[in-house]
Amino acid sequence: MNSDQNNHVRESDDFDTEIIMMIERKAFRSEVEPQLVLDLLDDQSAKPILSLLAFKDEVPVGHILFTKALIESNEPSPFTYILAPIAVRPEYQGQGIGSSLVEEGLKRLHEMGAELVFVLGHERYYPRFGFVPNASGFGFMPPYTLQPHQSNAWMVQSLNSKGLEEYPKGRIVCANAMDKPEYWYE
Ligand SMILES: CC(C)(COP(=O)(O)OP(=O)(O)OC[C@H]1O[C@@H](n2cnc3c(N)ncnc32)[C@H](O)[C@@H]1OP(=O)(O)O)[C@@H](O)C(=O)NCCC(=O)NCCS
């Protein structure tokens, strides 16, 4: 568990599903992302999964999910993850909770031995955590073709000392539950 005076982040467990759904619904105001999270939590191809909850004054306020992925190439795939989705309850946004979830997630992935992490997200938000825009430019193609204006939104980072050019290149194969074109836009 990572914590300061009022905030802490911990891994979720099977008893947290309702809390996670509440956070996802409030953050996205939609049933799409909550259903994706439910499906991913139950998806063998996404495992080992990293699912973290953030608390402020013991109130659950944020959630982040990292699911396993592969790089399709002739070489063995690096140990790879995709960050999606991340959700912070609207009334708690802009207080660093999203940042603490991303930072704690990356730290734990590194400890697990993960090598690469991808995200499809806003290019003004994720580079502050070490993500590099335009992962396709490094040879890491997204699971579905993106529109040209989305190319910078597809980001990657190496979690160890290896440079991006040292990894096998190819298309990223995401967990089955996420393997639908409607999830691949930004
Ligand atoms: C994106 C989100 C998780 C950020 O959480 P947060 O706790 O507000 O983030 P932090 O407080 O750590 O960081 C706030 C920063 O993020 C920026 N930010 C928030 N949402 C953003 C977005 N969609 N695009 C770009 N930047 C964004 C803010 O402008 C702020 O920037 P600043 O530090 O330069 O002022 C939260 O806004 C959220 O849940 N949004 C709804 C769900 C969503 O869109 N998730 C992302 C797609 S999976």
Side-chain angles (χ1 to χ4, degrees), residues 106 116-140 150-160 162-165 167:
L106 295 174
L116 284 177
V117 190
F118 291 87
V119 65
L120 180 63
H122 208 287
E123 63 179 290
R124 284 203 315 276
Y125 189 55
Y126 293 98
R128 68 186 71 181
F129 307 110
F131 285 96
V132 180
N134 191 13
S136 304
F138 294 88
F140 304 113
Q150 300 176 306
S151 55
N152 276 338
W154 176 235
M155 292 176 246
V156 61
Q157 75 168 286
S158 172
L159 290 175
N160 56 34
K162 271 164 90 170
L164 292 173
E165 65 288 349
Y167 290 99

Side-chain angles (χ1 to χ4, degrees), residues 27-28 84-89 92-100 120 122 124-126 128-129 186:
F28 286 100
I86 176 171
V88 174
R89 288 165 59 174
Y92 294 96
Q93 289 175 9
Q95 301 174 29
I97 290 159
S99 299
S100 64
L120 180 63
H122 208 287
R124 284 203 315 276
Y125 189 55
Y126 293 98
R128 68 186 71 181
F129 307 110
E186 166 56 26

